[in-house]
Amino acid sequence: MGVILEAKGIVNRFGTNVVHDGLDLSLEKGSITALVGGSGTGKTVLVRTLIMLRAPQAGELKLFGENVLAMSFNQRQRMRERIGVLFQGGALFTSLTVLENVLLPIREHGNVPAEALEEVGRLKIALAGLPADAAVKYPSELSGGMVKRAALARALALDPDLLVVDEPTSGLDPISAAAFDELIIELRDLLGLTVLQVTHDLDSIWRGSDQVAFLGRKRVLAMGTAAELTERDEPELVAYFRGKRSLAYANQFWRDREGTNHTAAQLAAE
Amino acid sequence: MSSHPARFEMDTSARCLRLSGKWTVHALGRVRLASVTPLANGAAWQLDAGEVSELDTAGAMLLCDLLDRIESDGGTVSQQALGATQRALLDLVRQRRVVNEVLPPPVSESVVAQIGRVTVSALREGGGHLHFLGELTTRLLPALLRPWTIRWREVVNEMYRAGVQALFIVGLLSFLIGMVLAYQGGATLEQYGANILIVNMVAIVTLREMAPLITSILVAGRTGSSYAAQIGTMKITEEVDALKAIGIHPMDMLVVPKVIALVIVMPLLFVYADIMGLLGGAVVADLTFDVSLRTFFERLPEVVTLSTFLVGVVKAPVFAVVIALIGCHQGMKVSGSAAAVGQATTLSVVQAIFTVIVLDALFSVLFHLMGI
């Protein structure tokens, strides 16, 4: 159903420090895109720009086909209801239980009969893969993985069309991280979400995403599947994708697909 | 396709359950499940969702509830008419849905039980402060015996913040209180022609009680609360744990310097408040009651003995310890949420001012018995 998010010529500056200079990015509906790049390439700044927490110095941002930078505050608020955001640390409201956290956006923006409200909240908590008894707990009583899931439940509260996730698997053990990746894919398939995830996790990049947007040289330097980016020759991409561990993923990928690993072997030899 | 709010109607003649509108979290408000049951009675219904423009998880959940109600009443609903995505969503919700558990009603407490609980928690709170005082002492005394181990840089910082930065507000308020005292006392004394006694009244009340109390209340509000907020926030962000892990006792780093700084600064603030209060009184005495500044300050040494001055200032270190202790302890007790920091800040101010006034009353009794 077309393009959910389209950014053109985004410029972000802090004083004289230019973070993005003419950055373009577009996301297809139903895709899962990993946003990667070395530290200091402005991943978080870009995410903050895309979810309208920061106005870029120049450029154009279209969400669901509408130019959001020209919008009034109220129109933007409407837009925000269609975007679910999972912040890096979870950003759960510490004085509210998990259930209250999830119900907050629904109470604020939704229109659900009072009798069904709590059930909706509990459904979201279950969708995010949390056990039922987590609903009445406070964020300080949750483990790191559960905090991420609770934050995901809150991000899903209004059935957003676009889900933006900042480092969903950082700080999780590999098993929880893999489960989280699967959860995101499952939700995409079931709810038709479009997902943009900032990540460093090779598992998330190779197995948890349809495509990868690589930030470098103050713009999206390359966009494609992880396998495609492995074959690119820009030095930044070579450094990022042809490390030992990344190549292991590449080999696995080609073995799974073609039964050979000659491409990766060639790349490693270069 | 319609975009009006979600609705359903039960066509009893055609046995058709018709859904229409936006079945999304934004537009479910008018769906009344309670209206289902009387009509359902054991019949086989057809579901018609052709007019549903949108369906999301919340909508699917409500639809599930609706079907459940009909089915629990012995009815059946044929779901042939649903689209593939709609059915997938319905299945997802069915699978993941949690049936609300019924929470036990909260037990109501009798008045006696409430009084008991509040008393016990107040005593615990007091005991907690004593415990903290003990803990502080075990860190403070060894440090005082070896003064080079004290973090003097921290102490000086805290002195600046608690003392120098409070000068303006303490000075202004003491001056105003001195003025008020002179006005109130002067009006009465003037009737007896005893204007000169304004000096006695202003000097004794200011030095013994008003300057110490005003200063302590200001310091509790300014400095005690900031201690609680600072340490409380550090607890939430695990900075206190980080200190412990690095091998620094949080008491040494966060509490001891604050206590030492306040104990040094508080007497100085008292003296400063004394001076400003006397000035305020003297100005009013001069302008309104014909007691010239010169007379005022000439008479001052005759009515004020050294003990009057000391009775005020001797309370300073005690109040300083109380304020710093309560602020730091409330901060250290914070756990969990951002709201707890706010609570600790409020409690620190309330308890510090309460304790200061109670101690002040005790001092008054004590000095009276000692005949000072």
Side-chain angles (χ1 to χ4, degrees), chain B residues 29-312:
Chain B
R30 291 202 207 152
V31 177
R32 290 278 168 273
L33 294 175
S35 64
V36 173
T37 335
L39 295 165
N41 50 27
W45 294 80
Q46 283 291 328
L47 182 64
D48 172 11
E51 289 289 307
V52 172
S53 57
E54 279 177 60
L55 183 71
D56 69 359
T57 47
M61 198 203 75
L62 228 60
L63 180 54
C64 265
D65 283 351
L66 184 60
L67 300 180
D68 281 357
R69 282 197 179 223
I70 295 175
E71 277 158 17
S72 70
D73 211 32
T76 54
V77 182
S78 148
Q79 290 160 41
Q80 300 297 327
L82 284 179
T85 41
Q86 289 174 338
R87 195 168 318 169
L89 208 53
L90 215 56
D91 286 343
L92 168 75
V93 169
R94 265 220 189 92
Q95 198 188 327
R96 294 287 175 86
R97 193 161 53 135
V98 187
V99 178
N100 275 349
E101 73 237 52
V102 182
L103 293 174
V107 187
S108 63
E109 219 172 23
S110 71
V111 178
V112 180
Q114 281 179 32
I115 293 174
R117 192 166 43 78
V118 171
T119 311
V120 168
S121 78
L123 288 177
R124 284 232 175 91
E125 190 85 9
H129 286 319
L130 281 182
H131 185 260
F132 193 74
L133 177 63
E135 211 177 320
L136 171 68
T137 312
T138 62
R139 303 303 305 181
L140 187 62
L141 285 186
L144 288 178
L145 290 178
R146 282 167 297 158
W148 59 91
T149 61
I150 295 173
R151 287 156 213 276
W152 289 108
R153 180 194 293 270
E154 290 288 315
V155 173
V156 171
N157 270 335
E158 296 293 347
M159 282 173 67
Y160 180 77
R161 265 182 266 160
V164 178
Q165 292 188 337
L167 281 182
F168 176 75
I169 186 98
V170 169
L172 180 65
L173 288 198
S174 304
F175 187 83
L176 292 178
I177 293 287
M179 283 175 68
V180 170
L181 283 176
Y183 269 122
Q184 301 301 330
T188 309
L189 292 171
E190 199 176 26
Q191 290 171 5
Y192 299 95
N195 291 18
I196 193 70
L197 290 180
I198 289 179
V199 184
N200 301 41
M201 200 211 54
V202 168
I204 291 174
V205 175
T206 302
L207 297 189
R208 287 187 73 125
E209 292 300 330
M210 285 324 280
L213 268 186
I214 291 295
T215 311
S216 301
I217 289 171
L218 277 172
V219 170
R222 268 186 98 252
T223 311
S225 60
S226 84
Y227 290 173
Q230 186 210 336
I231 297 179
T233 311
M234 289 180 75
K235 281 276 288 198
I236 300 254
T237 54
E238 294 185 316
E239 287 173 59
V240 173
D241 290 338
L243 277 180
K244 283 187 200 160
I246 294 170
I248 298 171
H249 199 296
M251 277 283 192
D252 295 350
M253 186 77 166
L254 298 174
V255 182
V256 169
K258 289 181 168 59
V259 174
I260 293 176
L262 214 54
V263 167
I264 297 174
V265 152
M266 199 77 146
L268 301 177
L269 281 178
F270 274 27
V271 173
Y272 171 70
D274 284 346
I275 295 169
M276 296 307 281
L278 289 176
L279 272 179
V283 167
V284 170
D286 186 21
L287 293 179
T288 318
F289 299 107
D290 296 326
V291 180
S292 71
L293 283 179
R294 190 188 164 127
T295 323
F296 191 100
F297 286 105
E298 270 176 1
R299 194 173 159 77
L300 199 56
E302 297 167 27
V303 299
V304 176
T305 56
L306 183 63
S307 72
T308 314
F309 168 72
L310 287 181
V311 157

